[in-house]
């Protein structure tokens, strides 16, 4: 099946998915909460980074953003009205441990306890991410993820959170997108802490995976009924031509972006070709690290947005393809391809598509936001998930990024991914047409 046939298919039907399939939206603490100095919250690397001139496209910060810290109840009401049965959110480490280790701030845990209980009261299952990039600044001052000790600190923090929230949380994810919090942050320099050092980036990537492993062990020790896993981001990679140099470039991009993270987790080894490619910058791996990293997962979270078409000379746009405001090609087939490939190549646990979504320019017209391209993106990717399921992949849920427009990291407020339009001046939230379509989909009959 080609991308075109996926796009052209009929809109998906709720009955195409099992009754207990998790349908939700996703956010992250730093992107929506605001209230950065309230109730004992410490400083995170993203506070520092976003207040550094030149780092954020529109010179904004997330001091207030969607003010979800104060508006969480009405936000959960909106979510309930949407008809989702799950919500993927993250906990801000500096709210729980303002200095990244040691002293716990009870007010921070209280907030997440209210949030989790608020979801449960509304029939929404909590899918909690422990690390969505807001590292406490004191840990960065000690080297951040390039420092192996940060993995220990992370496991300690994970135990504190799960010790309080326990099995009320349906699913704990240790990390969100470690490629972003290592390569994009320590090598490319676009995300906090904004370094450009490949060796440090690979060290950070290894320590993130190690932190995941240590946190998994700690959480297993709590005997929760919650599902335990982690979330990786993937890109579909295609060579622009079948010329050997383009094929080799595509293999390396797939290796550095996708295989470098999924293979240690699912097979207990870094991919040999990429290890060779990185030469002297490879991380120091201690005996036992890969065993910790590759311990069994209850699920793998898959974040998918786009594909990259590559030549030996770099990336290349696809003629005639649609691109989002992020400059990302709309390529639903890539999601089906990745999922079926992972099932073929690895001992793949059950999968959740933990993020998928699109940024487009939104215009408010008479109180309405007509965003047919976002609706089409959502529909075509739901069809892509369904196609993977029909091909035998055990997909258990889908989370749309994002519930509402929010702080898009280095892009500030210039990119809107939400099903809800956020008016940052008034904090009014308005359903876009895509949100209304998702609501109608979620409210269709479910097969018994
Ligand atoms: O906003 C981000 C999110 O925090 C992580 N995954 C990708 C999204 C869109 O860029």
């Amino acid at each position: 099946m080609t991308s075109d046939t996926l796009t052209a298919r009929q809109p998906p039907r709720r009955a195409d998915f099992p009754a207990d399939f998790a349908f939700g939206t996703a956010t992250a603490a730093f992107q929506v909460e605001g209230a950065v100095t309230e109730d004992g919250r410490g400083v995170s690397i993203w506070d520092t980074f976003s207040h550094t001139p030149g780092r954020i496209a529109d010179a904004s910060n997330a001091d207030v953003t969607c003010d979800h810290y104060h508006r969480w109840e009405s936000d959960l009401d909106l979510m309930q009205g949407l008809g989702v049965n799950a919500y993927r959110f993250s906990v801000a480490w500096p709210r729980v441990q303002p200095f990244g280790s040691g002293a716990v701030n009870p007010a921070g845990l209280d907030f997440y306890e209210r949030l989790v209980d608020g979801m449960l009261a509304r029939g929404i299952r909590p899918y909690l991410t422990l690390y969505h990039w807001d590292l406490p600044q004191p840990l960065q001052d000690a080297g951040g993820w390039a420092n192996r000790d940060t993995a220990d600190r992370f496991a300690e923090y994970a135990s504190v959170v799960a010790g309080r929230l326990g099995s009320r949380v349906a699913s704990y994810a240790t990390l969100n997108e470690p490629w972003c919090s290592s390569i994009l942050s320590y090598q490319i320099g676009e995300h906090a802490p904004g370094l450009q050092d490949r060796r440090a980036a690979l060290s950070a990537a290894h320590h993130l995976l190690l932190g995941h492993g240590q946190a998994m062990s700690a959480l297993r020790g709590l005997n929760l009924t919650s599902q335990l896993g982690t979330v990786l981001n993937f890109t579909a990679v295609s060579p622009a031509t079948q010329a050997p140099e383009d094929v080799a470039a595509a293999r390396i991009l797939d290796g550095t972006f996708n295989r470098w993270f999924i293979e240690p987790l699912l097979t207990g080894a870094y991919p040999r070709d990429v290890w060779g490619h990185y030469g002297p910058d490879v991380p120091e791996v201690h005996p036992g690290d890969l065993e910790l990293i590759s311990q069994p997962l209850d699920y793998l979270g898959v974040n998918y947005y786009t594909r990259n078409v590559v030549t030996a000379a770099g990336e290349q746009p696809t003629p005639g393809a649609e691109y989002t405001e992020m400059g990302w090609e709309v390529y639903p087939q890539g999601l089906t391809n990745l999922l079926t490939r992972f099932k073929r190549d690895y001992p793949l646990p059950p999968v959740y598509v933990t993020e998928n979504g699109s940024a487009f320019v939104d215009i408010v017209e008479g109180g309405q936001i007509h965003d047919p391209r976002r609706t089409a993106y959502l529909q075509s990717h739901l069809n892509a998930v369904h196609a993977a399921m029909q091909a035998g992949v055990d997909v258990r849920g889908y989370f749309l990024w994002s519930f509402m427009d929010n702080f898009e990291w280095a892009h500030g407020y210039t990119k809107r991914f939400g099903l809800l339009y956020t008016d940052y001046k008034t904090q009014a939230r308005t359903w876009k047409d895509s949100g209304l379509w998702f609501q109608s989909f979620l409210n269709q009959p479910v097969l018994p």
Side-chain angles (χ1 to χ4, degrees), residues 32-48:
V32 299
E33 284 180 2
V36 292
T37 57
E38 280 182 52
D39 296 338
R41 177 187 181 278
V43 176
S44 83
I45 55 173
W46 270 95
D47 296 302
T48 308

Side-chain angles (χ1 to χ4, degrees), residues 413-448:
Y413 299 103
T414 64
K415 310 291 179 208
R416 292 180 175 270
F417 277 90
L419 291 179
L420 279 169
Y421 182 93
T422 306
D423 180 330
Y424 294 106
K425 290 205 184 76
T426 63
Q427 291 297 343
R429 285 99 157 97
T430 308
W431 289 115
K432 302 177 192 178
D433 286 355
S434 55
L436 298 172
W437 178 81
F438 199 37
Q439 182 189 48
S440 68
F441 167 84
L442 294 169
N443 286 299
Q444 286 171 18
V446 178
L447 293 185

